[in-house]
Amino acid sequence: MPSLFTKIMNREIPAEIVYEDQFVVAFKDISPQAPVHLLIVPRTEVSGLSTLPEGDGDHQHILSAAKKIGEMLHLEGGYRVVINQGPDAGQTVDHLHAHFLAGRPLGWPPG
Ligand code: 5GP
């Protein structure tokens, strides 16, 4: 069964896609926690960071996409990139993804 995010990437479920390349797709979170709240999702389905195979480049592609999105959206004030892994971190969708948050001061540490 394709994941919810794969269905979004395949345009089977609507979402506002703001960036895509060969490796990742980034779209607006349905329940934004900041003025800018995107999900950066590798095209390859991996359930989470803990199951990312050793040597896989997905994590690098997530980070390079985040850098490009920050430049594209002129977020000179900064942004935060977060990966929730597992139930203690609040992961709800089992397809590796990073949250890209910006547009307001972001408290630290996160809750
Ligand atoms: P997680 O909790 O797994 O780290 O993040 C999953 C994120 O997916 C949540 O922030 C949630 O709001 C978002 N989400 C869940 N369902 C949908 C959907 O159908 N469309 C979009 N765009 N985002 C979704």
Side-chain angles (χ1 to χ4, degrees):
M1 265 291 274
S3 77
L4 169 66
F5 290 166
T6 294
K7 289 180 181 167
I8 288 175
M9 288 190 282
N10 291 340
R11 274 66 170 179
E12 292 166 34
I13 293 176
E16 200 171 331
I17 293 173
V18 300
Y19 173 86
E20 62 184 320
D21 62 27
Q22 187 185 345
F23 305 106
V24 302
V25 177
F27 51 86
K28 291 188 180 180
D29 194 293
I30 204 167
S31 175
Q33 302 302 309
V36 178
H37 186 175
L38 309 177
L39 300 171
I40 305 175
V41 185
R43 290 188 186 275
T44 309
E45 250 190 74
V46 177
S47 66
L49 195 57
S50 67
T51 53
L52 190 65
E54 204 60 43
D56 189 289
D58 275 356
H59 58 301
Q60 291 168 11
H61 299 307
I62 289 172
L63 291 179
S64 61
K67 179 178 179 234
K68 285 178 198 159
I69 291 166
E71 290 165 0
M72 197 176 85
L73 300 182
H74 306 289
L75 295 170
E76 285 83 11
Y79 49 84
R80 181 171 294 162
V81 181
V82 178
I83 293 176
N84 294 324
Q85 168 55 50
D88 281 0
Q91 183 179 6
T92 57
V93 177
D94 288 338
H95 181 154
L96 176 63
H97 57 282
H99 296 257
F100 181 103
L101 299 144
R104 67 169 170 80
L106 298 162
W108 190 263

